[in-house]
Amino acid sequence: MSKVRFPYMRSAVIDAVATLADPQYQQRVWIDNVSPDPAFFDDLDANIHVLYDDCRVLPNPQDMVGEVLIAGDEVTRLRALGAVLDRLIDRLGNAEDREYLADPEWPAAVQAARETLPALILGGGWMAEQDD
């Protein structure tokens, strides 16, 4: 198993990417507000903050190798996901989740997330060992 300094941040990144890869989840939770638990909340903004602010794997995933990420395909895939998200965020800004999901470029973001998720899982999974 590969090691990262912050395995719990890695877990948050994988969860965010999994959410971005699942349009049925996005519709159900973000738009229809049907959540698995009354105390649960999730939306696009929360997942964007995980990737860009909390874990800082975007826009420069290579900067977090060894901290949250493992060198290799997951960095390349995250860079591609970031490129799509950057364009959407630059164009749509603080638009509602519904507007993001209706945007013609949103399927490209979903596809990029779908291509990123297996790289993260194969690279070390949700809980890559903590580096001592």
Side-chain angles (χ1 to χ4, degrees):
M1 174 88 43
S2 297
K3 295 183 177 188
V4 295
R5 185 171 177 199
F6 301 109
Y8 290 100
M9 289 173 70
R10 180 180 179 81
S11 178
V13 168
I14 294 173
D15 288 345
V17 171
T19 298
L20 293 173
D22 187 346
Q24 289 79 23
Y25 173 91
Q26 296 161 13
Q27 179 65 44
R28 184 177 64 253
V29 176
W30 299 351
I31 306 303
D32 299 337
N33 294 312
V34 176
S35 65
D37 182 291
F40 178 81
F41 177 79
D42 190 28
D43 66 359
L44 174 59
D45 191 54
N47 291 283
I48 293 298
H49 279 290
V50 165
L51 298 175
Y52 283 87
D53 302 321
D54 301 340
C55 299
R56 298 186 339 260
V57 297
L58 294 179
N60 301 309
Q62 65 280 359
D63 293 349
M64 294 307 285
V65 168
E67 302 292 311
V68 178
L69 302 175
I70 298 164
D73 195 37
E74 62 189 51
V75 171
T76 303
R77 301 288 181 171
L78 272 166
R79 192 176 296 118
L81 173 59
V84 177
L85 291 175
D86 287 348
R87 286 191 305 271
L88 282 160
I89 293 166
D90 286 347
R91 194 162 36 77
L92 298 175
N94 289 326
E96 298 290 325
D97 291 358
R98 157 177 336 280
E99 293 176 61
Y100 273 86
L101 271 59
D103 191 272
E105 195 168 9
W106 187 252
V110 170
Q111 184 60 38
R114 285 181 175 168
E115 292 170 2
T116 301
L117 187 58
L120 288 162
I121 293 168
L122 292 173
W126 269 267
M127 293 305 294
E129 296 174 9
Q130 186 166 2
D131 196 6
D132 295 327

